[in-house]
Amino acid sequence: MKYDAVIIGAGMSGLSAGIRLAYFDKRVLILERHYAYGGLNSYYTLGGRQYDVGLHALTNYTPPGHRGGQPLNRILRQLRLSREELKLHPQKYSEVRFPGRTLRFTNDVADFIESVATAFPKEAGGFYKVVEDVLSREYVLDGEDGESSARAYLRSFLNDEILIDMILCPVMYYGSPTPHDMPLGQFVVMFRSVYCEGFARPEGGVRTIIKVLVKKYRSLGGKLRMRCGVERIHHDGHRVTSIELDDGEHVEADLVLSSAGFDETMALCAGEANSTGTVAGVSTEDRLSFLESVSIVNVEPSAFGIMPTIVFYNTEDRFTYARPDGAYDLSSGVLCMPGNFTGAALPEGIVRVTNLANYDRWRTMSPAEYAVRKNEWADKASEIVAGMFPDFRPHVIERDVFSPTTIERYTGHLGGAVYGSPRKIHSGRTPLANLAICGTDQGFLGIVGAMLSGILIANAYGME
Ligand SMILES: Cc1cc2nc3c(=O)[nH]c(=O)nc-3n(C[C@H](O)[C@H](O)[C@H](O)COP(=O)(O)OP(=O)(O)OC[C@H]3O[C@@H](n4cnc5c(N)ncnc54)[C@H](O)[C@@H]3O)c2cc1C
């Protein structure tokens, strides 16, 4: 059968693109290499417990009844989903903790403005202007050429480099594919997503979002094939002619959208399978990846004194967001307590800890070393958290850890790069006229960003 559109990947962007196209009566097929939907934001069961791979928080929260043009409202409108289906629980409050200073923010940016004014009184006026200026800007990405700088932008309003580091820490952890700095457009998008709109968690975790998307897509007649990877994209130099699956079957389509990543998709066009973790001519050295531990605790963290929803911390004088030389970087990280969202009633307490990690160090470890080093990292990361808050370690009953190589194995993203390549293709365009990129390498990042990206690219390429 020939399809109007084939989409590579059943992550957030692929599913959203699929729904959008199916709404316009296109015959759509989504191909997913793995057995689970969700890609970078999937879920799994281990020892009878359900774990989310990548969910700390959904960014871009807008409260019920809010009908503005914010990304979440746009997604709900374009995918014709009701807000009730996502069952969102907003955060209580989050913190940015640096040595001797703490900033606090909620889903009301006024709280962040007040917190900055208290911790950095001399910068209060400048920071107010940052917020005003960010909110006056369009919600669009720029800096595909990598020339604009969020740090330079912040320095035009603020003098205190520590405050600049503290502002950048959460927005980088939640949406920067580039080390040390980020393009201004991406900064504006992330600043609004994190500080102005804020965080929420769907009841039931990431499953809730995925199930809503898959159900909607199927209800519109969209086809979804799991455990069905794309091995090669055949083309005549101008257009895709057919898609070859892992089992050798060929599928044809007028349009192909790929959420596999730009370099990964080009490797499929060149006939280079990327299952070895490398693609000829593509370096993964500038790609950022993380280690994450998920600890199940026998009592909710708030019961023993860990009250914030999310904490972005840094233990050094300055904040370094970059691929570490060693296997991991303990100097900064993210701590998330899913039970500390308003009204969250989880079956068990959970503490998630995330640190920056070096993919190549993990890729080259022997299986025995890999197992030892994962536990070593998780123990050290927990120790640092225990120095900031009441110790959660005596309450841990189960722990799972995933590394850059886990991320690569389950998503195919080179270098286990959570935010993909630092080079984004905002137009989605590729050298082939009927092949476009959606998701991570298009440029909108995170769960909401990926959904928005799927919609934008489906609208741009799929409506002829
Ligand atoms: C540990 C972690 C924590 C995170 N925390 C958050 C968070 O708290 N909040 C937030 O907003 N975001 C978070 N993210 C980021 C978020 O998950 C991603 O930005 C988003 O899910 C990306 O979606 P995507 O559709 O662009 O890509 P992906 O999810 O990677 O989807 C691509 C899909 O394509 C499939 N695929 C690849 N190659 C092929 C092939 N050849 N054939 C068939 N299928 C293929 C992959 O298996 C995958 O399912 C986190 C990510 C991780 C890893």
Side-chain angles (χ1 to χ4, degrees), residues 8-14 31-34 36 38-41 53-59 174 228-231 259-260 268 292 352 402 407 410-413 418-419 438-440 445-448 450:
I8 304 175
M12 299 291 171
S13 65
L31 299 166
E32 169 56 56
R33 178 162 274 146
H34 290 289
L40 285 162
N41 229 298
V53 179
L55 182 74
H56 288 180
L58 192 82
T59 55
Y174 274 11
C228 194
V230 172
E231 170 70 21
S259 63
L268 292 174
E292 186 154 310
R352 305 180 74 102
F402 34 92
I407 296 169
Y410 288 102
T411 67
H413 287 295
V418 170
Y419 298 127
C438 66
T440 306
L445 299 170
I447 300 169
V448 167

Coordinates of all heavy atoms in Angstrom, one line a residue, residues 8-14 31-34 36 38-41 53-59 174 228-231 259-260 268 292 352 402 407 410-413 418-419 438-440 445-448 450, ligand 1:
I8 N 8.7 8.4 10.7 CA 9.6 7.6 11.4 C 9.7 8.0 12.9 O 10.1 9.1 13.2 CB 11.0 7.7 10.8 CG1 11.0 7.3 9.3 CG2 12.0 6.7 11.5 CD1 12.3 7.5 8.5
G9 N 9.2 7.1 13.8 CA 9.3 7.3 15.2 C 8.0 7.6 15.8 O 7.2 8.5 15.4
A10 N 7.7 6.9 16.9 CA 6.4 7.1 17.7 C 6.7 7.8 19.0 O 6.2 7.4 20.0 CB 5.7 5.8 17.9
G11 N 7.6 8.8 18.9 CA 7.8 9.7 20.1 C 6.7 10.8 20.1 O 5.8 10.8 19.3
M12 N 6.9 11.8 20.9 CA 5.9 12.9 21.0 C 5.7 13.6 19.7 O 4.6 14.0 19.3 CB 6.4 13.9 22.1 CG 6.5 13.3 23.5 SD 4.9 12.9 24.1 CE 5.4 11.9 25.6
S13 N 6.8 13.9 19.0 CA 6.7 14.6 17.7 C 6.1 13.8 16.6 O 5.2 14.3 15.9 CB 8.1 15.2 17.2 OG 8.9 14.1 16.9
G14 N 6.5 12.5 16.5 CA 5.9 11.7 15.5 C 4.4 11.4 15.7 O 3.6 11.5 14.7
L31 N 6.1 4.4 11.9 CA 7.0 3.2 12.1 C 7.9 3.4 13.3 O 8.5 4.5 13.4 CB 7.9 3.0 10.8 CG 7.1 2.8 9.5 CD1 8.1 3.0 8.3 CD2 6.5 1.4 9.5
E32 N 7.8 2.5 14.2 CA 8.6 2.7 15.4 C 9.5 1.4 15.7 O 9.0 0.3 15.7 CB 7.7 2.9 16.6 CG 8.4 2.9 18.0 CD 9.6 3.8 18.2 OE1 9.4 5.0 18.0 OE2 10.7 3.3 18.5
R33 N 10.8 1.6 15.9 CA 11.7 0.5 16.0 C 11.4 -0.3 17.3 O 11.6 -1.5 17.4 CB 13.1 1.0 15.9 CG 14.1 -0.2 16.1 CD 15.5 0.2 15.6 NE 15.7 -0.1 14.2 CZ 16.4 0.6 13.4 NH1 17.1 1.7 13.8 NH2 16.5 0.3 12.1
H34 N 11.0 0.4 18.3 CA 10.9 -0.3 19.6 C 9.5 -0.8 19.9 O 8.6 -0.5 19.2 CB 11.4 0.7 20.7 CG 12.9 0.8 20.6 ND1 13.8 -0.2 20.9 CD2 13.6 1.8 20.1 CE1 15.0 0.2 20.6 NE2 14.9 1.4 20.1
A36 N 7.9 0.0 22.7 CA 7.2 1.0 23.5 C 7.1 2.3 22.7 O 8.0 2.7 22.0 CB 7.8 1.2 24.8
G38 N 6.8 6.5 22.7 CA 7.3 7.6 23.6 C 8.7 8.0 23.3 O 9.1 9.2 23.7
G39 N 9.6 7.2 22.7 CA 11.0 7.5 22.5 C 11.7 8.0 23.7 O 11.8 7.3 24.7
L40 N 12.2 9.3 23.7 CA 12.9 9.8 24.8 C 12.1 10.0 26.0 O 12.6 10.1 27.1 CB 13.5 11.2 24.4 CG 14.7 11.2 23.4 CD1 14.8 12.6 22.8 CD2 16.0 10.8 24.2
N41 N 10.8 9.9 25.8 CA 9.9 10.1 27.0 C 9.0 8.9 27.1 O 7.7 9.0 26.9 CB 9.1 11.4 26.9 CG 9.2 12.1 28.2 OD1 8.8 11.6 29.2 ND2 9.8 13.3 28.2
V53 N 10.6 7.0 31.7 CA 12.0 7.2 31.3 C 12.4 8.7 31.6 O 13.3 9.0 32.2 CB 12.3 6.9 29.8 CG1 13.7 7.2 29.5 CG2 11.9 5.5 29.5
G54 N 11.6 9.6 31.0 CA 12.1 10.9 30.9 C 11.3 12.0 31.6 O 11.5 13.2 31.3
L55 N 10.3 11.6 32.4 CA 9.4 12.7 32.8 C 9.8 13.3 34.2 O 9.7 12.7 35.2 CB 8.0 12.3 32.9 CG 7.0 13.4 33.2 CD1 6.8 14.4 32.1 CD2 5.7 12.9 33.7
H56 N 10.3 14.5 34.1 CA 10.4 15.3 35.4 C 9.1 16.1 35.4 O 8.3 16.1 36.4 CB 11.5 16.3 35.4 CG 12.9 15.7 35.5 ND1 14.0 16.4 35.5 CD2 13.2 14.4 35.7 CE1 15.0 15.7 35.7 NE2 14.6 14.4 35.8
A57 N 8.9 16.9 34.4 CA 7.8 17.8 34.3 C 7.4 18.2 32.9 O 8.3 18.2 32.0 CB 8.1 19.1 35.0
L58 N 6.1 18.4 32.7 CA 5.7 19.0 31.4 C 5.9 20.5 31.6 O 5.4 21.1 32.6 CB 4.2 18.7 31.2 CG 3.6 18.9 29.9 CD1 3.9 17.8 29.0 CD2 2.1 19.1 30.0
T59 N 6.6 21.1 30.7 CA 6.8 22.6 30.8 C 5.5 23.3 30.1 O 4.6 22.6 29.7 CB 8.0 23.0 30.0 OG1 7.9 22.5 28.7 CG2 9.3 22.5 30.7
Y174 N 16.7 22.0 30.8 CA 15.5 21.5 30.2 C 15.4 21.9 28.7 O 14.3 21.6 28.1 CB 14.3 22.2 31.0 CG 13.9 21.3 32.2 CD1 14.7 20.3 32.6 CD2 12.7 21.6 32.8 CE1 14.3 19.5 33.7 CE2 12.3 20.8 33.9 CZ 13.2 19.8 34.4 OH 12.8 19.0 35.4
C228 N 9.2 -2.0 14.3 CA 9.3 -2.0 12.9 C 10.2 -0.8 12.5 O 9.7 0.3 12.2 CB 7.8 -1.8 12.4 SG 7.7 -2.1 10.6
G229 N 11.5 -1.1 12.6 CA 12.4 0.0 12.3 C 12.6 0.3 10.8 O 12.4 -0.6 10.0
V230 N 13.1 1.5 10.5 CA 13.5 1.8 9.2 C 15.0 1.6 9.0 O 15.8 2.1 9.8 CB 13.1 3.3 8.8 CG1 13.7 3.7 7.5 CG2 11.6 3.5 8.9
E231 N 15.3 0.7 8.1 CA 16.7 0.4 7.9 C 17.4 1.3 6.9 O 18.5 1.6 7.0 CB 16.7 -1.1 7.4 CG 18.1 -1.6 6.9 CD 19.1 -1.8 8.1 OE1 18.6 -1.9 9.2 OE2 20.3 -1.8 7.8
S259 N 11.5 11.7 12.8 CA 11.9 12.3 14.1 C 13.1 11.6 14.7 O 13.4 11.7 15.9 CB 10.7 12.1 15.1 OG 10.4 10.7 15.3
A260 N 13.8 10.9 13.8 CA 15.0 10.1 14.3 C 16.2 11.0 14.5 O 17.2 10.5 15.0 CB 15.3 9.0 13.2
L268 N 20.4 7.1 7.2 CA 19.4 6.1 6.6 C 19.4 6.3 5.1 O 19.3 5.3 4.4 CB 18.0 6.3 7.2 CG 17.9 5.9 8.7 CD1 16.5 6.3 9.2 CD2 18.1 4.4 8.9
E292 N 20.6 9.4 34.7 CA 19.4 9.6 35.6 C 19.2 8.4 36.5 O 19.2 7.3 36.0 CB 18.2 10.0 34.7 CG 17.0 10.4 35.6 CD 16.0 11.3 34.9 OE1 16.5 12.3 34.2 OE2 14.9 11.0 34.9
R352 N 14.1 11.5 41.7 CA 14.9 11.4 40.5 C 16.1 12.3 40.6 O 15.9 13.5 41.0 CB 14.1 11.8 39.2 CG 12.7 11.0 39.1 CD 12.0 11.5 37.8 NE 12.6 11.0 36.6 CZ 12.2 10.0 35.9 NH1 11.1 9.4 36.2 NH2 12.8 9.5 34.8
F402 N 19.6 5.0 34.4 CA 19.9 4.9 32.9 C 20.9 5.9 32.5 O 21.1 7.0 33.1 CB 18.7 4.9 32.0 CG 17.5 5.8 32.4 CD1 17.4 7.1 32.0 CD2 16.5 5.3 33.2 CE1 16.4 7.9 32.4 CE2 15.5 6.0 33.6 CZ 15.4 7.4 33.2
I407 N 19.9 5.6 26.6 CA 19.1 6.6 25.8 C 19.4 6.3 24.4 O 18.4 6.2 23.6 CB 19.5 8.0 26.2 CG1 19.1 8.3 27.7 CG2 18.8 9.0 25.3 CD1 19.7 9.6 28.3
Y410 N 17.6 3.0 23.1 CA 16.1 3.0 23.0 C 15.5 4.1 22.1 O 14.3 4.1 21.9 CB 15.4 3.1 24.4 CG 15.6 1.8 25.1 CD1 16.6 1.6 26.1 CD2 14.8 0.7 24.7 CE1 16.8 0.4 26.7 CE2 15.0 -0.6 25.3 CZ 16.0 -0.7 26.3 OH 16.2 -1.9 26.9
T411 N 16.4 5.0 21.6 CA 15.9 6.1 20.8 C 16.6 6.2 19.5 O 16.2 6.9 18.5 CB 15.9 7.5 21.5 OG1 17.3 7.8 21.6 CG2 15.2 7.5 22.8
G412 N 17.9 5.7 19.4 CA 18.7 5.8 18.2 C 19.3 7.1 18.1 O 20.1 7.4 17.1
H413 N 19.2 8.0 19.1 CA 19.8 9.4 19.0 C 21.3 9.2 19.2 O 21.7 8.8 20.3 CB 19.2 10.4 20.0 CG 17.9 10.8 19.6 ND1 17.6 11.6 18.5 CD2 16.7 10.7 20.2 CE1 16.3 11.8 18.4 NE2 15.7 11.3 19.4
V418 N 20.2 13.8 24.4 CA 18.8 14.0 24.8 C 18.2 15.2 24.0 O 17.0 15.1 23.7 CB 18.7 14.3 26.4 CG1 17.4 14.8 26.8 CG2 19.1 13.1 27.1
Y419 N 19.0 16.2 23.7 CA 18.5 17.3 23.0 C 19.0 17.3 21.5 O 19.0 18.4 20.9 CB 18.7 18.7 23.7 CG 18.0 18.7 25.0 CD1 18.7 19.0 26.2 CD2 16.7 18.4 25.1 CE1 18.1 19.0 27.4 CE2 16.0 18.4 26.3 CZ 16.7 18.7 27.5 OH 16.1 18.7 28.7
C438 N 11.2 16.3 11.9 CA 10.4 16.9 12.9 C 11.0 16.4 14.3 O 11.9 15.5 14.3 CB 8.9 16.4 12.8 SG 8.6 14.7 13.1
G439 N 10.6 17.1 15.3 CA 11.1 16.7 16.7 C 12.4 17.3 17.0 O 12.8 18.4 16.5
T440 N 13.2 16.6 17.8 CA 14.4 17.1 18.5 C 15.3 18.0 17.6 O 15.7 19.1 17.9 CB 15.2 15.9 19.0 OG1 14.3 15.2 19.9 CG2 16.4 16.4 19.9
L445 N 12.2 21.7 21.8 CA 12.7 20.6 22.6 C 11.8 20.3 23.8 O 10.9 21.1 24.2 CB 14.1 20.9 23.2 CG 15.1 21.1 22.1 CD1 16.4 21.7 22.6 CD2 15.4 19.8 21.3
G446 N 11.9 19.2 24.4 CA 11.1 18.8 25.5 C 9.8 18.2 25.0 O 9.6 18.1 23.8
I447 N 8.9 17.8 25.9 CA 7.7 17.1 25.5 C 6.8 18.1 24.7 O 6.3 17.8 23.6 CB 6.9 16.6 26.8 CG1 7.8 15.6 27.6 CG2 5.6 16.0 26.4 CD1 7.3 15.3 28.9
V448 N 6.5 19.2 25.3 CA 5.7 20.2 24.6 C 6.3 20.7 23.3 O 5.7 20.8 22.3 CB 5.4 21.4 25.6 CG1 4.7 22.5 24.8 CG2 4.4 20.9 26.7
A450 N 8.4 19.0 21.4 CA 8.4 18.0 20.4 C 7.0 17.9 19.8 O 6.8 17.7 18.6 CB 8.8 16.6 21.0
Ligands
LIG1 C1 16.2 11.3 30.9 C2 15.3 12.3 30.2 C3 14.5 13.2 30.9 C4 13.7 14.1 30.2 N1 12.9 14.9 31.0 C5 12.0 15.7 30.4 C6 11.1 16.5 31.1 O1 11.0 16.4 32.3 N2 10.3 17.4 30.4 C7 10.3 17.5 29.1 O2 9.6 18.3 28.5 N3 11.2 16.8 28.3 C8 12.0 15.9 29.0 N4 12.9 15.1 28.2 C9 13.0 15.4 26.8 C10 11.9 14.9 26.0 O3 11.7 13.5 26.3 C11 12.2 15.0 24.5 O4 12.6 16.3 24.2 C12 11.1 14.6 23.6 O5 10.4 13.4 24.1 C13 11.6 14.3 22.2 O6 10.6 13.8 21.3 P1 10.9 13.5 19.8 O7 9.6 13.0 19.2 O8 11.5 14.7 19.2 O9 12.0 12.4 19.8 P2 12.1 10.9 20.3 O10 11.3 10.8 21.5 O11 13.5 10.5 20.3 O12 11.3 10.1 19.2 C14 12.0 9.5 18.1 C15 11.5 8.1 17.9 O13 12.0 7.6 16.7 C16 12.3 6.2 16.8 N5 13.3 5.8 15.8 C17 14.6 6.3 15.7 N6 15.2 5.8 14.6 C18 14.2 4.9 14.0 C19 14.2 4.1 12.9 N7 15.3 4.0 12.1 N8 13.1 3.4 12.6 C20 12.0 3.5 13.4 N9 12.0 4.3 14.5 C21 13.1 5.0 14.8 C22 12.9 6.1 18.2 O14 12.8 4.8 18.7 C23 12.0 7.1 19.0 O15 10.9 6.4 19.5 C24 13.7 14.2 28.8 C25 14.5 13.2 28.1 C26 15.2 12.3 28.8 C27 16.0 11.3 28.0

